[in-house]
Amino acid sequence: MFELLEVKNLSVSFHTPQGEVEAVRDLSLSLHPGEVLAIVGESGCGKSVLCKSVMKLLPRNARIKAGTILADGTDVTRCSQRDMERLRGRLFSMVLQDPMTALHPAMTIGAQIAEAVRAHQPRMTKMAVRRRVLELMELVGIDMAEERYGHCPFEFSGGMRQRTVMAIALASSPKILLADEPTTALDVTIQAQILDLLRDIQARLGTSAILVTHDLGVVARAADRAAVMYAGKIVEIGTVEDIFYDPRHPYTWGLLRALPAWAEEGQPLYTIPGMPPSLLHPPKGDAFACRNEYALAIDYQEAPPMFQLSDTHFAATWLLDERAPQITPPWRGASYE
Amino acid sequence: MSEILLDVQELTHCFRLGRNTVIRAVDHVSFQLRRGEIFGLVGESGSGKSTVARCIMSLIRPAAGKIRYLGVNICDPGQFRAHRKLLQTSRQLIFQDSAASLNPRMKVADIITEPMAIHHIRPPRGSLRQEAAFQLKCVGMDPSSLDRRPGELSGGQRQRVAIARALSMGPELLVADEPIASLDVSIQAQIINLFQHLQREHGFTFLFIAHDLAVVRHLCDRTGVMFQGRLVEIAPSKELFDNPLHPYTRALLSAIPIPDPRLERARVPQRFDPAQFCREGLLREVSPGHMVLREEADR
Amino acid sequence: MRRKNPFIYYGGKLAGLAVSVFVLSLAVFYIARLAPGDPLVSYYGDRAEKMTAEERAQAEERLGLDEPVHIQYTRWLGRALQGDFGISYKYKTDVTQIIADRLPNTLLLGGTGFAVIFAGALAVGALCAWNEGNLLDRIICKVGTVVSCIPEFWLSLVLILVFAVQLRWLPSSGAYTLGGGGGADRAVHLILPLTVTAAGHLWYYAYMIRNRLLEELRSDYVLLAKSKGLRRRDVLLRHCLRSILPGYLSLMAISVPHILGGTYIVETVFSYPGIGTLSYESARYQDYNLLMLLCILSGSVVILSNMLAQIISERIDPRMRGEMPAEVTEHG
């Protein structure tokens, strides 16, 4: 199967005064054409860094240490600054978390979208650009586009701003959309609208998307496949059905069990004990071992490989090794009431 | 039915935007908190729920309305002054962003005991430091953190310190304004459990302001829903989630994503058009404890 | 969006200017008379010290200095409104004439100096931000720190020594050669004073530009602009500069008097006939009429430049129009 995006053995580090922080550690991942892949994890697990690595928009103190990122056949890690400028917007583009800060505060909405349109079509006439901008605004559901063309971001609500950001991201018809927590800063009702818009656009334009989020509800609503990330690694990846109805990694169990939606009345919520490890000096072996109630001795020694469970489902835990003791998973899959 | 601790009546507050625009952030909001209950206040950003909290904590003086706390009208400056000490010690507030609300230059021990020092309260457990250590233990932290500063703690730990500081005064009323919004899922669960545990142990009354409805449903005894400054519905949490009556509440509940892909994809969220929202009307009791904002004509 | 009536808008601003200048003149008038010193010395020179009490009283009456201050002020104001600002005690001619002789020189030096600093700081700051952390950036920062630490008069003397005395490339003083005075001649006379003025002030503004630009480059909208596929140059020039320009313009406008005033030392060292020297003398020798007009002039420059800054900011940044507060929605 042709992969639109293929990340192989990627390692990204930040150089801080305290030392090297290994934000992404030997991560491999692929994105199929026309799907929405969710990346779930807690803050600091490296999910945003992964996104920015693909776009090569990492901060100055970050470095891609090893690995390749093949985007539509091009190895992004080897691209120069100029090459990246040509790829951004056309091959992939980004939707940021906070629409309040993502738009230039003093430029009109229309001008900001127009800029994105012209970035890859500098010869386009003014009229054509305007027509395209209005078309994009309609596509993302900004009504009264003519009138709102000249508005500034501060006159827009959060949801409208996020729609604007999406219009900007879609301006040059990218093949991959990287959405970094696109709904976290929004209200629930707006969140639902934006997620539906994302799905709708994905279906209409055939764009593939990576959806970074910490909210499993968002994953359930908008994603086809999901990857669970912990401490810079993917611990489990599969279709959303695999992840929600047949999770195999203890961390995935923990995440699902901790959701208040599943809590029994009057009972305390399930919590994963402890805190995520510092990536300044990642622990030896499985990073999740010290929070894992099913940890085996080998977890503290050696990091588990990815075990294949089916064509789509992979998990990295020693529990799946044939020598491991059989345990009954505490989570038998989602079932709402 | 237990005693009413806090009685908010017709609370109204406006913010002035520019010369001609006035926004009614809180518009004739009335509700009561009974001693020992956990009351959830939910709504989207701009619905006025934080303003209600600030009025209750006397951080803002409301434009109109009454707030009675233990029989004292705290909106009245004279009464406020007469009962200042009681009001300042027995009501405590926990903010959303503990990174911003804790002084980064102070040590944890000093943060926790600062209210005691300000009010000249003799620490019940000997020294201030012992008191701080005790409170830290209560919120599930190790006393070894006493000499650390907020910057060296994780978000969850900082929120625990903020809770410990609030609890050190032995409050009757705890107001928490989005206390878990900036935390990760697994840490959120820890803090919610902590709230539940502490509330059972100390029996304080708890006003919990949040936008995450699943958490509110789990934690709160009763829940109020706010929209554009109006309180549109109040009900026992179970009743509210099982049988929402106001169209806005329905839309809000239907928008919460359910972490179950098959169910979630089959669902169509209900839309609520703000243009249809009728600000006028009164809260009417439709079943015991369940009140909905209704227009006069609807009856 | 509501648009304001331009007549009301600018009329209001002008009224504000008039009130400010009035208050300023009042303050300067009183404060100048509080300062110790003898205004007669500037009029009569050494003779003033030998005068008898009677002669003094006569002289004071002639200059109108014997009356209470508020009457002096009303009389001054009445004449000033008709365009008569009185005579200078020291030069014994009309103050407007004295200032008119010197103003073009200062405007030339200050104006070009200001333009050089303004554009130079923008260019240097943007260059440093573009090359953040590189060798070039570090060199410019180091050089700037050193140069801005050099006192102006010392730098002036060194430059005169090198370029005027040793190399004989440039004139050492004056605004033009006596008898000559074409455009080229004036320009040549301007080079050294201009260099000193710019070298003293440029770095401060360049650092500010650099740091503000770097701050902007770390913000979210830059990330989005880059992910659109915009070139790095366009992001820096179109987005970041646009964000910092209102602030920079305001700062520069406020700095107009600072930079003009800073030319005083330069004017002295290069014997440049400008306003700077004049202001100093007028204050030192209690030359009240001259002082008043100079203060009103410089005060108007400050106020006008601030207004200009505000108008420019409003044109560039729609949020500054005061129709919407920055924080529209109350949080929560």
Side-chain angles (χ1 to χ4, degrees), chain B residues 6-235:
Chain B
L6 181 83
D7 185 3
V8 179
Q9 276 176 8
E10 302 287 312
L11 184 72
T12 302
H13 191 70
C14 305
F15 286 111
R16 192 165 273 281
L17 287 185
R19 221 164 276 163
N20 303 322
T21 350
V22 172
I23 283 194
R24 283 201 198 170
V26 179
D27 190 2
H28 294 92
V29 165
S30 307
F31 63 95
Q32 285 86 36
L33 290 195
R34 299 190 199 107
R35 195 183 277 274
E37 76 170 340
I38 306 184
F39 185 85
L41 199 55
V42 297
E44 309 196 317
S45 57
S47 64
K49 53 193 198 301
S50 281
T51 312
V52 170
R54 281 169 206 185
C55 291
I56 290 173
M57 292 307 293
S58 305
L59 297 174
I60 302 177
R61 180 169 303 158
K66 267 189 202 151
I67 302 174
R68 283 184 180 280
Y69 173 76
L70 287 169
V72 181
N73 181 6
I74 60 171
C75 301
D76 180 62
Q79 285 200 35
F80 182 85
R81 264 196 299 278
H83 299 88
R84 167 170 285 172
K85 189 149 183 178
L86 166 84
L87 292 172
Q88 285 182 344
T89 54
S90 76
R91 299 176 302 163
Q92 292 291 327
L93 179 65
I94 296 168
F95 289 95
Q96 169 180 357
D97 188 358
S98 51
S101 65
L102 300 182
N103 186 340
R105 303 199 178 280
M106 280 170 75
K107 288 179 181 169
V108 167
D110 300 329
I111 289 173
I112 295 175
T113 53
E114 196 189 17
M116 291 195 140
I118 289 173
H119 292 286
H120 306 291
I121 294 172
R122 182 119 48 91
R125 285 165 197 85
S127 68
L128 283 174
R129 198 177 165 79
Q130 280 168 332
E131 183 66 34
F134 172 81
Q135 294 296 351
L136 263 195
K137 244 182 261 164
C138 284
V139 296
M141 274 174 79
D142 196 71
S144 66
S145 303
L146 276 176
D147 289 316
R148 297 214 247 163
R149 286 169 218 278
E152 301 164 46
L153 303 175
S154 71
Q157 286 174 323
R158 272 199 297 264
Q159 206 52 279
R160 283 170 194 266
V161 171
I163 296 168
R165 173 177 64 174
L167 290 181
S168 71
M169 302 301 292
E172 295 251 22
L173 173 69
L174 197 63
V175 177
D177 188 358
E178 304 257 12
I180 53 163
S182 51
L183 302 175
D184 273 314
V185 188
S186 71
I187 309 298
Q188 272 187 6
Q190 293 175 5
I191 300 290
I192 293 165
N193 284 350
L194 178 67
F195 274 134
Q196 211 162 22
H197 168 75
L198 290 171
Q199 200 274 335
R200 273 183 205 151
E201 201 156 279
H202 297 262
F204 51 74
T205 311
F206 191 20
L207 176 61
F208 183 83
I209 293 169
H211 64 264
D212 187 337
L213 290 131
V215 170
V216 170
R217 178 203 184 117
H218 174 74
L219 185 67
C220 301
D221 303 320
R222 287 196 303 142
T223 303
V225 181
M226 284 190 74
F227 182 67
Q228 290 187 359
R230 294 284 308 189
L231 195 58
V232 298
E233 192 161 358
I234 304 184

Side-chain angles (χ1 to χ4, degrees), chain B residues 19, chain C residues 3-16:
Chain B
R19 221 164 276 163
Chain C
R3 286 229 63 97
K4 285 177 188 151
N5 184 337
F7 288 107
I8 295 175
Y9 181 70
Y10 291 106
K13 295 223 168 229
L14 279 179

